Amino acid sequence: MKNPLHLMTEKRRSGGDTGIPSYCTANELAIEALFEQAKRFDDAVLIEGTANQINQFGGYTGMTPAGFRDYVYGIADRVNFDRSKIILGADHFGPLVWSGLPADEAMSNAKELVRLAVLAGFKKIHLDTSMKLGGDDPSAKLPDDVIAERGAVLLEACEKAYQEILRTNPDEMRPAYIIGSEVPIPGGTQEEDAGLQVTGVKDFETTITTYKRKFSEHGLAERWNDVIAVVVQPGVEFGDKDIHQYCRPAAVELCTALKKYPELVFEGHSTDYQPPQKLREMVEDGIAILKVGPALTFSLREGLFALSMIERELVPEDRRANFIETLERVMLENPANWQKHYHGSDEEKRIARKYSYSDRCRYYFSLPEIKAAIEKLFANIDSVEVPAGMLSQYMPNQYKKVRDGLLPMKARELAKDCVAVLADDYNFAVRKNIS
């Protein structure tokens, strides 16, 4: 059985310009919405977790790679989505979480992390060794040789795990690997103007030649065939308030250089909030893997805020879930996930907690108090009759679908559809030439 990601690159080599969204989220409602949206088109869905979210010590979700797999599969079973159409991805898998430790210790943890990911059935592994570790010179750029050497060490650990699987399942599909040292930080930049620069052609080609050499030195030359993408900065990014939209002319030199390597595509991180046509241009230009993360829960948050406004209109004060107020209070009581990211006056930080593109509120959605507020909000909306005109006011996209009989008038479905609307932008970008 061939990895669907390898099939995607084969289609591109035959003249198509297809791609795939990479949905990086652990949010239950968002994943549920993505699966339901995909059922409409019989699509495979790529769901990724980062090393911050999931690792052998639990990450901030409390899940190991196997735990994340079971969590995602459980959501799929609940909405009757075929597990065989799920591609599990491991994003930023490497020593990221342990970068403050000595290099040997950090890499030992990273090897175990990627091993567990392969054993758990992850089929897209981003070998991310771009960060400095304890003992690296803090004043110098991390050499390409060091980055690629550490990447080869992780690949070796992945391959040993894959061979272990083959002993009991000889038909197990191979993982696909992503490399690249120019990796934007997870969740968007913290600066309004971070001096964004498109990856240079020389840097891109040095990455390829260095990784190929290191793979060969480790006896892994054949495994280059399993590398499908290189992470680059194509000129897209977002911060708290600003979005750097894709500029085709600025990336033309980089995208032209990709044509020399037909076995590869680019993986674009931080494609959140790009207009649909810009996403489409990126896929056409070879940036065929479109990673999106915070925009998913940003869209969900918009839906929950809209439902909260409807609740204020229709539900007596003593019965309200007060989701907006509850979220604000919980974030203030537990500031660790946002206080280093939001800056300015108290008022500016208050606005950012609600509306920042960085969407740090997503870290709070799994807390029991927030989950309880969401469920109460859903129950309250479902207990009243929402006038069509009011739904149109606060949720115009969902109003049209309800009006046309395409979406049930249920609070949970209305909120999830806000995520589906975003997924439709990515669907528009990648579906051309998909059979």
Side-chain angles (χ1 to χ4, degrees), residues 104-124:
D104 287 348
E105 188 177 350
M107 284 301 296
S108 177
N109 285 339
K111 286 163 63 177
E112 177 64 7
L113 175 58
V114 297
R115 186 185 79 87
L116 292 175
V118 173
L119 292 177
F122 284 62
K123 296 305 178 190
K124 176 180 177 289

Side-chain angles (χ1 to χ4, degrees), residues 210-413:
T210 309
Y211 268 89
K212 277 188 172 182
R213 174 164 51 81
K214 288 296 182 180
F215 282 12
S216 293
E217 290 175 5
H218 283 258
L220 297 167
E222 271 193 59
R223 297 285 61 83
W224 182 257
N225 296 326
D226 296 323
V227 176
I228 63 165
V230 178
V231 176
V232 295
Q233 174 50 273
V236 298
E237 189 54 275
F238 62 91
D240 281 350
K241 302 175 183 177
D242 298 323
I243 301 165
H244 294 274
Q245 290 192 21
Y246 181 59
C247 177
R248 212 169 204 172
V252 67
E253 187 177 358
L254 175 65
C255 294
T256 299
L258 179 65
K259 295 176 182 178
K260 293 165 54 179
Y261 307 93
E263 74 277 17
L264 296 173
V265 298
F266 286 142
E267 175 167 298
H269 285 222
S270 303
T271 72
D272 308 65
Y273 313 110
Q274 293 288 314
Q277 188 56 47
K278 294 295 184 180
L279 295 172
R280 179 68 219 155
E281 289 177 6
M282 291 170 70
V283 172
E284 291 172 350
D285 293 347
I287 308 157
I289 302 175
L290 301 174
K291 290 193 64 63
V292 54
L296 295 165
T297 40
F298 183 94
S299 298
L300 176 63
R301 192 269 313 153
E302 287 184 318
L304 294 171
F305 275 25
L307 290 171
S308 295
M309 301 305 293
I310 293 173
E311 181 188 52
R312 289 180 185 177
E313 295 275 12
L314 299 177
V315 176
E317 186 174 357
D318 61 344
R319 285 178 41 210
R320 293 175 194 161
N322 293 317
F323 169 76
I324 297 175
E325 294 79 7
T326 301
L327 180 62
E328 171 70 353
R329 175 175 56 78
V330 170
M331 290 182 74
L332 287 172
E333 291 172 352
N334 305 274
N337 287 315
W338 61 265
Q339 62 183 354
K340 294 180 181 179
H341 300 266
Y342 297 153
H343 309 288
S345 67
D346 287 346
E347 177 65 8
E348 287 172 322
K349 286 185 280 191
R350 182 188 71 82
I351 295 298
R353 284 192 295 272
K354 289 183 178 180
Y355 304 113
S356 166
Y357 287 134
S358 297
D359 189 52
R360 304 300 296 183
C361 66
R362 70 186 185 277
Y363 292 95
Y364 299 84
F365 279 11
S366 61
L367 296 180
E369 190 170 1
I370 299 302
K371 292 177 73 173
I374 292 172
E375 291 303 321
K376 185 174 182 181
L377 173 63
F378 289 166
N380 281 345
I381 296 298
D382 289 344
S383 72
V384 297
E385 183 175 346
V386 179
M390 187 181 297
L391 183 64
S392 177
Q393 171 68 45
Y394 292 111
M395 306 186 81
N397 290 324
Q398 288 66 46
Y399 158 75
K400 293 174 184 176
K401 293 181 180 180
V402 172
R403 178 197 64 192
D404 297 342
L406 302 175
L407 181 68
M409 183 58 206
K410 294 290 184 181
R412 185 184 183 93
E413 304 309 312

Side-chain angles (χ1 to χ4, degrees), residues 42-266:
D42 195 31
D43 277 351
V45 178
L46 172 55
I47 302 290
E48 298 219 31
T50 68
N52 285 318
Q53 290 173 317
I54 54 173
N55 57 57
Q56 61 266 47
F57 305 110
Y60 70 73
T61 65
M63 288 185 275
T64 64
F68 184 72
R69 173 202 62 202
D70 294 342
Y71 169 73
V72 171
Y73 282 176
I75 297 171
D77 293 346
R78 188 167 66 243
V79 300
N80 197 31
F81 186 76
D82 186 351
R83 289 186 179 189
S84 70
K85 293 185 178 298
I86 300 171
I87 307 168
L88 292 173
D91 189 34
H92 295 285
F93 267 40
L96 171 69
V97 181
W98 307 286
S99 59
L101 298 177
D104 287 348
E105 188 177 350
M107 284 301 296
S108 177
N109 285 339
K111 286 163 63 177
E112 177 64 7
L113 175 58
V114 297
R115 186 185 79 87
L116 292 175
V118 173
L119 292 177
F122 284 62
K123 296 305 178 190
K124 176 180 177 289
I125 313 290
H126 174 203
L127 302 172
D128 181 10
T129 53
S130 60
M131 65 295 301
K132 293 179 183 177
L133 307 179
D136 293 331
D137 184 349
S139 63
K141 180 179 181 291
L142 194 62
D144 291 310
D145 265 27
V146 172
I147 294 170
E149 170 66 23
R150 290 171 179 171
V153 167
L154 295 185
L155 176 64
E156 199 167 28
C158 290
E159 283 303 303
K160 287 179 180 177
Y162 177 68
Q163 293 302 321
E164 186 178 333
I165 295 173
L166 289 182
R167 287 196 285 270
T168 55
N169 183 10
D171 295 324
E172 183 76 12
M173 74 172 63
R174 278 199 163 276
Y177 297 108
I178 314 298
I179 62 169
S181 59
E182 190 152 340
V183 184
I185 62 171
T189 181
Q190 295 178 34
E191 303 297 332
E192 293 308 317
D193 185 356
L196 186 67
Q197 291 186 334
V198 173
T199 299
V201 171
K202 182 179 178 181
D203 292 334
F204 161 56
E205 295 191 326
T206 297
T207 294
I208 292 176
T209 57
T210 309
Y211 268 89
K212 277 188 172 182
R213 174 164 51 81
K214 288 296 182 180
F215 282 12
S216 293
E217 290 175 5
H218 283 258
L220 297 167
E222 271 193 59
R223 297 285 61 83
W224 182 257
N225 296 326
D226 296 323
V227 176
I228 63 165
V230 178
V231 176
V232 295
Q233 174 50 273
V236 298
E237 189 54 275
F238 62 91
D240 281 350
K241 302 175 183 177
D242 298 323
I243 301 165
H244 294 274
Q245 290 192 21
Y246 181 59
C247 177
R248 212 169 204 172
V252 67
E253 187 177 358
L254 175 65
C255 294
T256 299
L258 179 65
K259 295 176 182 178
K260 293 165 54 179
Y261 307 93
E263 74 277 17
L264 296 173
V265 298
F266 286 142

